[in-house]
Amino acid sequence: MPRSSSPNPYSIFDADVDDAWKPLPSSSFHPFFSSPRKKVHKDDIADLEGVCMKEFRLNLGNVRSRMLEHVEAQQSAFDRLCTDLRATTDASGRRRIADNFVRNAASSARDFANETQITCNEMQAYCFSKLSENNEELKKEVKRLEDAAQIRELEQKISEDEMRIAFQGEKAALEASLREELVACQICTRNARNIIILPCLHAQFCQQCLEAHKAQNDSSCPACRGPIRALLPYIA
């Protein structure tokens, strides 16, 4: 089979058998081994760790360490691959070495992906728990407001009852005062009214006050100044 004019830079199986001992550059074997353009400083991670832990329980330091360990393990495995390929002249042996490397790399990637999924699940569980806590706090706040509204309603009812009782008391006192005023003699304001004056029919006075009034040689009604012809007793 003729050689391809542009071999796949990501496959070690397309390399010529005579050139298989030459290690491929790490930067061209897989983008995962490419050096990052900008490194994140530890201080930058430390500044964000508190926020991430508080908001969604992600330890950036642990994530960074685990990723670096994974990268270093992959790089070390790749270096061993290159060393083994240099030391092996048999084509089938080189293919077996490469096959084992790819299988181990895939297994390592799966393990790393599983750990990452676990971290993701833990983050989601934490966020859900915080959401539940916030809902509980919201429920408590709603309950507190409802209790406060009930207390205000009860206080308002008590206040209305007190005002109604006070009004009824004042009303009763006023009625009693009016009754006393209507029943009491207008002259002495102590004795009950018990005499009707004829012929004018005024009855705002008691017998004692009218007799005292007549004793002063005044035979006219104290209310209308009309003549008193007779006094008619009555019970108020």
Side-chain angles (χ1 to χ4, degrees):
M1 181 180 292
R3 294 177 56 187
S4 175
S5 58
S6 57
N8 184 355
Y10 300 112
S11 175
I12 62 175
F13 300 115
D14 292 335
D16 189 83
V17 174
D18 296 335
D19 297 332
W21 62 272
K22 298 179 181 179
L24 294 173
S26 61
S27 60
S28 64
F29 176 71
H30 195 282
F32 191 78
F33 297 117
S34 301
S35 300
R37 293 182 179 180
K38 183 179 180 181
K39 293 183 178 180
V40 180
H41 197 272
K42 290 184 178 181
D43 292 340
D44 296 333
I45 296 177
D47 292 340
L48 295 174
E49 275 187 338
V51 176
C52 293
M53 283 294 294
K54 180 180 179 181
E55 293 184 352
F56 40 85
R57 192 60 68 82
L58 178 65
N59 192 321
L60 291 183
N62 289 347
V63 172
R64 180 176 183 273
S65 298
R66 187 65 188 92
M67 292 183 68
L68 291 178
E69 290 174 1
H70 182 65
V71 172
E72 291 173 358
Q74 294 289 70
Q75 183 65 60
S76 177
F78 178 72
D79 292 341
R80 288 195 302 273
L81 169 67
C82 294
T83 301
D84 293 342
L85 289 177
R86 288 193 188 97
T88 305
T89 58
D90 178 66
S92 61
R94 286 194 294 267
R95 185 176 295 275
R96 185 173 59 257
I97 293 171
D99 182 68
N100 290 334
F101 169 77
V102 172
R103 291 177 185 275
N104 292 334
S107 177
S108 177
R110 284 194 299 270
D111 292 341
F112 184 74
N114 290 336
E115 292 181 7
T116 304
Q117 185 62 45
I118 292 174
T119 301
C120 181
N121 293 340
E122 291 175 351
M123 288 173 53
Q124 290 179 346
Y126 179 77
C127 291
F128 286 142
S129 66
K130 293 296 289 183
L131 182 60
S132 299
E133 291 179 3
N134 292 337
N135 287 338
E136 290 300 324
E137 291 296 328
L138 182 59
K139 290 179 182 179
K140 291 180 181 179
E141 181 64 17
V142 172
K143 183 65 169 58
R144 186 187 66 80
L145 294 176
E146 289 177 349
D147 292 342
Q150 292 178 356
I151 292 175
R152 286 195 297 270
E153 183 178 355
L154 180 60
E155 291 176 347
Q156 182 178 2
K157 185 176 183 304
I158 293 175
S159 178
E160 291 176 353
D161 291 341
E162 291 177 348
M163 292 177 61
R164 182 165 53 253
I165 292 173
F167 172 76
Q168 291 175 350
E170 293 177 358
K171 179 182 178 182
L174 178 61
E175 289 176 350
S177 175
L178 289 175
R179 280 195 300 271
E180 290 178 0
E181 183 177 350
L182 293 175
V183 172
C185 172
Q186 287 187 350
I187 296 176
C188 67
T189 67
R190 294 186 306 274
N191 299 330
R193 304 176 184 184
N194 55 9
I195 290 294
I196 298 177
I197 299 174
L198 298 177
C200 64
L201 300 179
H202 287 122
Q204 297 99 318
F205 315 103
C206 66
Q207 183 176 2
Q208 293 177 355
C209 290
L210 285 179
E211 289 178 352
H213 180 70
K214 289 181 64 177
Q216 297 175 358
N217 297 320
D218 190 348
S219 298
S220 61
C221 173
C224 64
R225 308 308 298 174
I228 298 178
R229 303 297 183 191
L231 298 177
L232 179 63
Y234 79 98
I235 299 177

